[in-house]
């Protein structure tokens, strides 16, 4: 625009040269050219300001208005002086040059109509007024024509400006939409790859990291929280969520900048930790630090909460070179850490994989065996140590697998892990109730309940349903629970026990002395008897420590007026010692191994006392 203004001024000075003074035909165009050049340089320098502030934009616009007014007045004033000093022919040329220059500037300023109108008013209007007032028909007609053309041009510029505003608005909306789309994409990406509760990367982010694993070495650690579910159940999910966030914070601190923490879901986390060749101890030290830090108490809502962590470690590329295998082997190591007693870490070893495959095979076969009723009950007698009479039987599970009988120690832990224990227990109880209901002597049967089973709120209803369906008297059933069940969830245990006791079912505290039961628990729950763990009974004749413990348990039970059953009696000497200490009942291979229903039925029908019981009565007296 300023180049055109300068050229228009040069041509106008050339057209008027010779008829006016050199100051008007030479000096004036040069001064106008200099002013246009300065204004052009200022405009060029402002173009580098890519994202100006609103304040700068306002200042630029005001500067443009002032520049348009000043340059137009200077150009129009010079043209007016030339108009009065020129003859008729040159007046026409001057008017045309002025009009062409003004229209050109207006065209360049069509996006800023205020400046365009100022150019027309200050630059072209003075000469046009002179044309209209000249009295010459030719000049008046030229002035009228310029006015009409200017009106049309300004009207077109107004319409063009409105279209320009619409384009700007459309582009602004498009830019806002694009920005929203980018923000939405960023949020979606964050939600897809980050855990919203803890802010840690999630399982998908870990899978991406493992898929892109390069030539370097790193350790993958799976972290599972111990005892978290109990806190979540007892204190509620808000406390559990705060605890998870606190654990995430400690993991970040332990891992530091060198590694990365992930939350895989629930109470399971993962750590990826690169390490240099030969620096395997770094991975183990971080795993040890995780176990140590998570074991420290957490203060949440003015209450101290105690949990733990088990950690499984798998190494890339030593243990696996693909993501799925590495995850599976870290999970295998985590399982071994839990099996070792929790609150520890374990690195993957090749033999672990074989053990997991063995357990998986057993689980598959167990499901098939349950469907085909290949689990069956066996009954081990419980003897009154004072009279030698059989008072009841403990129900023990057996599994016919590959033409051999398998004991519960090999399949009960696996059944509990894969959620089959309740089904197995209820199926065996159903069969046992039908088999023992019509025995000649109405002795009781005892069945074990694990801590995990007591988490089932409907357990008592399921047991009572079996008794009702089979017609087995509830008073002949004894439910044995371990001490650990009272710690895992005392409220649920109390509810289940209360429901069973209300229907007449007997209750025994199993493996007493090996867990965390207290006198308070014994007073709080309506136990009918206590069973001493076999570990104390088996070493009773070997030293004084076991003897002191057994004597203390019997003294406590006597104070609470609870009969005691001793498990694992295998020698007559042990039975005599327990009888002398005041133990009421005994159980073990000395009195009889687990038997099938027909053996027990014949035994009870004949009224036969176990031979070892007869020997005990003969040696100790009635």
């Amino acid at each position: 625009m300023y180049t055109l203004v300068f050229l228009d001024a040069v041509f106008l000075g050339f057209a008027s040269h010779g008829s006016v003074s050199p100051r008007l035909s030479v000096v004036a165009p040069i001064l106008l050219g200099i002013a246009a050049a300065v204004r052009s340089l200022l405009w060029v320098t402002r173009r580098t300001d890519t994202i100006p502030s609103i304040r700068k934009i306002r200042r630029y616009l005001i500067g443009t208005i002032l520049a348009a007014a000043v340059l137009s007045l200077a150009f129009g004033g010079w043209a007016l002086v030339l108009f009065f000093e020129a003859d008729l022919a040159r007046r026409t040329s001057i008017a045309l040059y002025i009009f062409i220059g003004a229209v050109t500037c207006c065209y360049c300023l069509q996006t800023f109509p205020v400046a365009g109108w100022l150019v027309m008013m200050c630059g072209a209007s003075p000469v046009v007024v002179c044309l209209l007032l000249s009295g010459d028909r030719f000049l008046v007609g030229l002035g009228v024509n310029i006015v009409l053309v200017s009106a049309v041009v300004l009207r077109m510029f107004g319409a063009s400006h409105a279209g320009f505003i619409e384009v700007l608005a459309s582009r602004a909306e498009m830019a806002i939409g694009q920005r929203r789309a980018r923000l939405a994409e960023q949020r979606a990406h964050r939600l897809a790859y980050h855990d919203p509760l803890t802010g840690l990367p999630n399982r998908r982010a870990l899978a991406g990291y493992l898929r892109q694993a390069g030539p370097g070495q790193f350790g993958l650690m799976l972290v599972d929280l111990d005892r978290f579910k109990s806190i979540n159940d007892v204190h509620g999910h808000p406390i559990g969520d705060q605890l998870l966030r606190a654990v995430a914070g400690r993991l970040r601190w332990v891992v530091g900048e060198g590694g990365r923490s992930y939350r895989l879901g629930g109470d399971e986390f993962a750590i990826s930790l690169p390490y240099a060749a030969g620096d395997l101890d770094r991975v183990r030290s971080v795993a040890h630090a995780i176990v140590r830090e998570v074991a420290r108490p957490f203060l949440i809502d003015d209450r101290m909460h105690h949990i733990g962590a088990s950690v499984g470690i798998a190494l890339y590329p030593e243990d696996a070179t693909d993501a799925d295998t590495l995850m599976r082997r870290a999970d295998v190591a985590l399982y071994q850490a839990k099996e070792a007693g929790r609150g520890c870490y374990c690195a993957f070893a090749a033999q672990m994989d074989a053990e997991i495959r063995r357990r998986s095979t057993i689980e598959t076969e167990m499901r098939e065996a349950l469907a085909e009723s290949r689990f069956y009950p066996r009954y081990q007698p419980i003897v009154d140590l004072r009279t030698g009479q059989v008072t009841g039987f403990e129900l023990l599970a057996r599994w016919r697998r590959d033409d051999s009988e398998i004991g519960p120690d090999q399949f009960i832990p696996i059944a509990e892990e894969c959620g089959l224990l309740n089904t197995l227990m209820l199926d065996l109880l159903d069969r046992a109730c039908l088999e023992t209901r019509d025995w000649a002597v109405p002795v009781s049967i005892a069945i074990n309940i694990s801590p995990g089973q007591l988490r089932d709120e409907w357990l008592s209803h399921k047991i009572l349903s079996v008794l009702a369906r089979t017609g087995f008297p509830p008073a002949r059933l004894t439910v044995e629970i371990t001490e650990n069940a009272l710690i895992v969830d005392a409220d649920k245990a109390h509810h289940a026990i209360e429901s069973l006791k209300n229907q007449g079912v007997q209750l025994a505290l199993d493996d007493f002395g090996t867990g965390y039961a207290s006198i308070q628990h014994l007073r709080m729950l309506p136990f009918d008897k206590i069973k001493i763990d076999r570990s104390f009974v088996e070493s009773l004749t070997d030293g004084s420590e076991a003897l002191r413990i057994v004597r203390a348990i019997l003294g406590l039970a006597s104070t609470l007026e609870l009969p005691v059953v001793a498990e694992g009696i295998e020698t007559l000497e042990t039975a005599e010692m327990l009888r002398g200490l005041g133990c009421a009942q005994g159980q073990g291979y000395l009195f009889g191994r687990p038997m099938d229903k027909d053996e027990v039925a014949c035994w009870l029908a004949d009224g036969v006392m176990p031979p070892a019981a007869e020997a005990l009565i003969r040696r100790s007296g009635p």
Side-chain angles (χ1 to χ4, degrees):
M1 179 183 71
Y2 293 110
T3 302
L4 291 174
V5 169
F6 174 71
L7 292 176
D8 197 41
V10 171
F11 285 123
L12 184 58
F14 179 77
S16 61
H17 186 68
S19 60
V20 296
S21 67
R23 286 181 301 174
L24 293 176
S25 61
V26 178
V27 177
I30 292 175
L31 293 177
L32 288 172
I34 293 172
V38 171
R39 177 60 183 167
S40 298
L41 289 174
L42 289 175
W43 181 81
V44 169
T45 56
R46 288 172 180 170
R47 288 187 64 186
T48 58
D49 197 353
T50 54
I51 307 178
S53 63
I54 298 298
R55 184 177 180 183
K56 283 186 176 181
I57 292 174
R58 187 178 292 112
R59 190 166 67 245
Y60 293 165
L61 295 177
I62 293 173
T64 301
I65 292 173
L66 293 176
V70 171
L71 291 176
S72 298
L73 285 172
F75 193 80
W78 173 56
L80 191 63
V81 173
L82 293 177
F83 184 86
F84 284 115
E85 293 192 10
D87 53 22
L88 181 60
R90 284 190 172 85
R91 286 183 177 183
T92 304
S93 298
I94 292 170
L96 290 175
Y97 276 124
I98 292 298
F99 177 67
I100 292 171
V103 169
T104 301
C105 290
C106 282
Y107 181 80
C108 294
L109 293 170
Q110 60 180 312
T111 58
F112 192 23
V114 174
W117 276 90
L118 281 174
V119 169
M120 291 296 291
M121 295 297 296
C122 298
S125 295
V127 175
V128 172
V129 170
C130 291
L131 291 175
L132 295 174
L133 299 177
S134 64
D136 185 275
R137 288 185 305 167
F138 179 78
L139 294 180
V140 171
L142 179 60
V144 171
N145 185 264
I146 290 175
V147 170
L148 294 175
V149 172
S150 298
V152 172
V153 169
L154 291 175
R155 180 71 181 86
M156 291 175 60
F157 287 168
S160 176
H161 178 261
F164 173 71
I165 294 299
E166 290 181 2
V167 170
L168 285 181
S170 176
R171 290 182 63 182
E173 291 178 0
M174 185 182 300
I176 292 173
Q178 291 174 343
R179 184 170 179 271
R180 287 176 178 170
R182 285 195 300 270
L183 291 175
E185 183 179 359
Q186 293 172 359
R187 285 195 298 270
H189 184 274
R190 179 165 184 82
L191 289 174
Y193 288 90
H194 286 78
D195 171 50
L197 177 64
T198 62
L200 294 177
N202 60 12
R203 184 181 293 273
R204 181 178 294 181
L206 176 60
Y209 174 82
L210 296 180
R211 283 195 302 269
Q212 298 171 5
Q217 296 174 303
F218 67 88
L220 174 64
M221 289 176 272
L222 295 185
V223 182
D224 190 79
L225 303 185
D226 303 328
R227 301 184 297 278
F228 170 78
K229 189 178 186 303
S230 299
I231 292 177
N232 208 35
D233 292 342
V234 173
H235 299 287
H237 291 286
I239 297 297
D241 290 346
Q242 292 184 56
L243 185 56
L244 289 173
R245 284 192 287 267
V247 169
R250 290 193 185 180
L251 291 179
R252 286 195 193 98
W253 179 79
V254 170
V255 175
E257 298 295 329
R260 197 176 187 189
S261 305
Y262 306 81
R263 185 189 175 209
L264 305 185
D267 59 351
E268 189 176 7
F269 296 81
I271 307 293
S272 60
L273 185 69
Y275 67 94
D279 192 20
L280 182 57
D281 287 342
R282 179 168 184 261
V283 179
R284 297 180 183 274
S285 65
V286 170
H288 177 73
I290 290 172
V291 172
R292 184 187 65 244
E293 290 301 318
V294 176
R296 290 194 300 109
F298 292 83
L299 178 61
I300 298 176
D301 287 355
D302 299 325
R303 183 189 293 269
M304 301 300 291
H305 297 277
H306 298 265
I307 60 173
S310 300
V311 182
I313 306 172
L315 304 176
Y316 176 90
E318 287 88 343
D319 295 328
T321 56
D322 64 277
D324 292 339
T325 305
L326 191 67
M327 281 288 291
R328 184 174 62 81
R329 292 186 169 176
D331 197 50
V332 168
L334 175 61
Y335 173 82
Q336 293 297 322
K338 293 179 180 179
E339 283 288 291
R342 301 178 182 270
C344 61
Y345 68 90
C346 183
F348 175 80
Q351 60 269 27
M352 294 180 185
D353 223 3
E355 174 64 16
I356 293 298
R357 284 196 295 270
R358 185 189 72 83
R359 298 176 76 95
S360 178
T361 301
I362 291 177
E363 177 184 342
T364 302
E365 292 182 8
M366 282 183 63
R367 295 183 185 278
E368 296 174 356
L370 277 171
E372 299 171 1
S373 299
R374 284 190 274 124
F375 289 96
Y376 49 87
R378 286 287 183 264
Y379 307 95
Q380 185 175 34
I382 301 174
V383 175
D384 188 322
L385 296 180
R386 291 183 296 272
T387 65
Q389 298 297 320
V390 175
T391 60
F393 292 85
E394 181 173 358
L395 173 62
L396 302 172
R398 293 294 185 267
W399 176 17
R400 180 65 61 185
R401 179 173 180 252
D402 297 333
D403 298 327
S404 62
E405 189 176 80
I406 298 178
D409 56 318
Q410 297 186 44
F411 61 82
I412 289 296
I414 301 176
E416 187 165 16
E417 286 174 16
C418 60
L420 295 175
L421 188 55
N422 260 3
T423 303
L424 174 60
M425 183 272 292
L426 293 171
D427 181 68
L428 289 173
L429 178 61
D430 188 272
R431 292 181 59 179
C433 288
L434 291 173
E435 291 178 357
T436 62
R437 180 187 57 195
D438 300 323
W439 276 349
V441 179
V443 295
S444 65
I445 61 171
I447 188 168
N448 286 281
I449 301 296
S450 74
Q453 288 178 275
L454 285 173
R455 295 194 183 101
D456 183 359
E457 297 179 355
W458 295 96
L459 178 66
S460 59
H461 300 280
K462 293 174 182 177
I463 293 174
L464 294 174
S465 176
V466 171
L467 299 180
R469 185 173 60 255
T470 59
F472 191 87
R476 288 179 56 191
L477 177 66
T478 299
V479 171
E480 298 180 356
I481 66 171
T482 62
E483 299 179 51
N484 293 337
L486 307 178
I487 302 301
V488 170
D489 198 330
D491 292 337
K492 287 186 178 179
H494 189 279
H495 176 74
I497 290 166
E498 194 174 54
S499 298
L500 293 172
K501 288 290 293 182
N502 288 338
Q503 299 300 318
V505 176
Q506 301 295 299
L507 178 65
L509 181 58
D510 197 13
D511 299 338
F512 187 79
T514 61
Y516 304 95
S518 64
I519 297 177
Q520 178 64 25
H521 286 122
L522 292 174
R523 295 182 60 191
M524 180 178 64
L525 296 174
F527 289 104
D528 297 291
K529 63 180 69 176
I530 295 174
K531 298 189 74 173
I532 302 177
D533 185 67
R534 67 175 57 248
S535 62
F536 301 120
V537 175
E538 290 171 349
S539 57
L540 190 60
T541 58
D542 296 337
S544 59
E545 183 178 357
L547 179 61
R548 286 196 299 269
I549 294 174
V550 171
R551 185 179 284 116
I553 293 174
L554 291 170
L556 173 63
S558 176
T559 302
L560 298 175
E561 298 182 350
L562 291 175
V564 176
V565 181
E567 297 180 301
I569 301 176
E570 297 187 0
T571 66
L572 195 58
E573 289 76 14
T574 302
E576 285 184 309
M577 289 185 67
L578 289 167
R579 187 175 189 267
L581 291 171
C583 183
Q585 299 174 359
Q587 175 185 350
Y589 285 169
L590 174 67
F591 302 116
R593 292 179 176 273
M595 299 176 283
D596 62 27
K597 61 175 183 176
D598 295 330
E599 292 179 275
V600 176
C602 292
W603 200 20
L604 292 177
D606 296 338
V608 177
M609 183 185 297
E614 291 182 1
L616 176 65
I617 298 301
R618 284 196 305 269
R619 292 178 59 169
S620 303

